[in-house]
Amino acid sequence: MDLDEFKTQNAPKEGGDVFQLENSKLLDVNVNSSVMAKAGSMVAYEGDISFEQKSSGGLTGMLKKKATGEGSTMMQASGNGQLFLADDGKNVQVIELDPGEEISVNGNDVLAFEDRVSWDIKTMSSISGASAGGMFNVFLEGPGFVAITTHGDPLVLETPVRTDPAATVAWSGNVSPGSHRDMNLKSFIGKSSGETFQLDFSQPGGWVIVQPYEEVGPQQ
């Protein structure tokens, strides 16, 4: 294709919701006040937008370094304009939460959320030894748009179900995982593996998002 065709084909989409996908890996946010986004995820912006990095001790515990699994912090984007976000080439999933709907997301998989979304950071104490540094999840409650990231296309499973912690991205707010160890798997594999420890979502009526990738956090 010639240059004009290339520019036209790859230009930003017009209109749309507050959060909309430009492609599977790039999120377009219509900023009109402020949004929270993963620090370092900005690839471009148009208009009058300012950025403030929020470190540990900032916004009510949400911004603890461990909240994102890789020690990164969050940033607040304020003003008016278009903000384009991405995270290491991961796929972006946009979810609109209704009032009262809650989702729990692995801290490293939170890309952005509207400022009207209520949030909290919680340590999964019952499974804190599941992976390096424990498990830190961000609890987000609607109404509002939330963007999360996955390696590849996600799979949504209904509960009850058991999942690999390193492949688990998020789950519905009406379920909470316990832990399950399978020593037979450890013996079969011949060495310690993430698959010997599973998240056990025993309550029915919920759902869990998994990805086709084991995302292991840093050693503490």
Side-chain angles (χ1 to χ4, degrees):
M1 68 180 69
D2 63 27
L3 180 57
D4 287 338
E5 289 174 329
F6 177 81
K7 290 166 58 180
T8 299
Q9 182 170 318
N10 294 283
K13 298 175 182 177
E14 298 293 334
D17 292 318
V18 177
F19 281 21
Q20 71 169 345
L21 295 177
E22 292 295 337
N23 55 54
S24 63
K25 303 179 187 301
L26 188 62
L27 177 69
D28 180 352
V29 181
N30 181 14
V31 180
N32 182 19
S33 182
S34 67
V35 298
M36 293 298 299
K38 188 174 183 179
S41 63
M42 186 273 289
V43 296
Y45 69 92
E46 300 173 340
D48 183 15
I49 300 176
S50 61
F51 301 90
E52 181 181 0
Q53 182 165 308
K54 301 293 185 179
S55 60
S56 179
L59 297 177
T60 318
M62 167 70 181
L63 308 170
K64 295 178 181 178
K65 286 186 177 181
K66 291 183 179 179
T68 57
E70 293 184 344
S72 58
T73 56
M74 301 294 289
M75 63 181 180
Q76 186 174 35
S78 303
N80 290 276
Q82 298 301 123
L83 174 61
F84 302 94
L85 303 173
D87 184 19
D88 291 336
K90 295 168 68 176
N91 287 5
V92 180
Q93 319 295 335
V94 175
I95 301 171
E96 183 177 8
L97 299 177
D98 290 333
E101 281 189 328
E102 186 179 52
I103 182 173
S104 174
V105 187
N106 183 299
N108 193 49
D109 299 320
V110 176
L111 180 62
F113 54 89
E114 289 189 88
D115 57 359
R116 60 179 176 148
V117 172
S118 300
W119 45 260
D120 192 12
I121 177 71
K122 297 181 182 179
T123 304
M124 308 305 295
S125 57
S126 63
I127 53 176
S128 59
S131 56
M135 291 197 69
F136 294 81
N137 267 47
V138 181
F139 286 73
L140 303 166
E141 183 177 347
F145 282 98
V146 171
I148 65 175
T149 57
T150 59
H151 288 276
D153 294 330
L155 179 67
V156 180
L157 300 170
E158 295 184 358
T159 60
V161 67
R162 289 174 179 166
T163 65
D164 182 342
T168 305
V169 176
W171 56 83
S172 57
N174 63 330
V175 296
S176 180
S179 61
H180 175 76
R181 288 192 178 275
D182 193 330
M183 300 309 295
N184 290 329
L185 270 177
K186 183 175 181 179
S187 300
F188 176 76
I189 295 172
K191 61 180 181 179
S192 179
S193 165
E195 292 179 352
T196 67
F197 181 94
Q198 297 126 32
L199 299 183
D200 184 11
F201 296 89
S202 59
Q203 308 100 317
W207 47 264
V208 181
I209 301 174
V210 295
Q211 62 185 0
Y213 182 91
E214 293 186 341
E215 190 168 26
V216 179
Q219 297 294 323
Q220 302 294 314

